[in-house]
Amino acid sequence: MTPFARLRGRLTLALGAAEIHLRLRFPRLMWAFTRRPAEPPTPFAELQRIETDPAYRAQFLARLNAAITDRDAEREAVVHAIEAAAEHLRHLVTDPNSVSGDHGRAA
């Protein structure tokens, strides 16, 4: 065993003993230093903030309106793309001679 490993082991044991001694001697202080999981946010915290803080409400509503506008624009773009594809298919089905090459007709 190397001297470094022996020192490391002794230090670990000494720190463990010191922790036990401190926990017995100063229980409240050690409780304050002990890590605990964070408390989960209260339900509806953001809703309560929207209702009580006018500046936050205005900011929230502005972001909500922007998100709705973006979603509507995306849906409109999809609708236009579908209509263009349908028109192209309609054109291919009604006028088979307009297709370049032999891709439009079965042999």
Side-chain angles (χ1 to χ4, degrees):
M1 181 180 280
T2 66
F4 181 70
R6 189 175 303 140
L7 179 65
R8 185 175 167 199
R10 286 183 179 180
L11 233 135
T12 303
L13 289 173
L15 286 174
E19 180 185 2
I20 291 171
H21 178 72
L22 287 172
R23 283 188 185 277
L24 293 173
R25 181 87 173 151
F26 306 106
R28 285 188 175 169
L29 182 64
M30 292 308 292
W31 181 83
F33 287 138
T34 304
R35 284 187 172 176
R36 285 177 293 288
E39 294 182 19
T42 58
F44 306 111
E46 186 174 10
L47 182 59
Q48 290 173 350
R49 185 172 177 197
I50 290 169
E51 291 174 347
T52 58
D53 186 1
Y56 187 75
R57 181 183 318 139
Q59 181 186 17
F60 175 81
L61 292 176
R63 287 192 322 236
L64 181 62
N65 288 338
I68 291 171
T69 303
D70 290 346
R71 185 192 64 191
D72 289 345
E74 288 174 5
R75 285 183 178 178
E76 191 172 328
V78 169
V79 168
H80 286 305
I82 291 172
E83 288 174 348
E87 186 62 34
H88 182 67
L89 283 173
R90 210 174 288 119
H91 179 69
L92 291 176
V93 170
T94 57
D95 189 12
N97 293 329
S98 67
V99 179
S100 61
D102 293 329
H103 299 292
R105 291 190 232 183

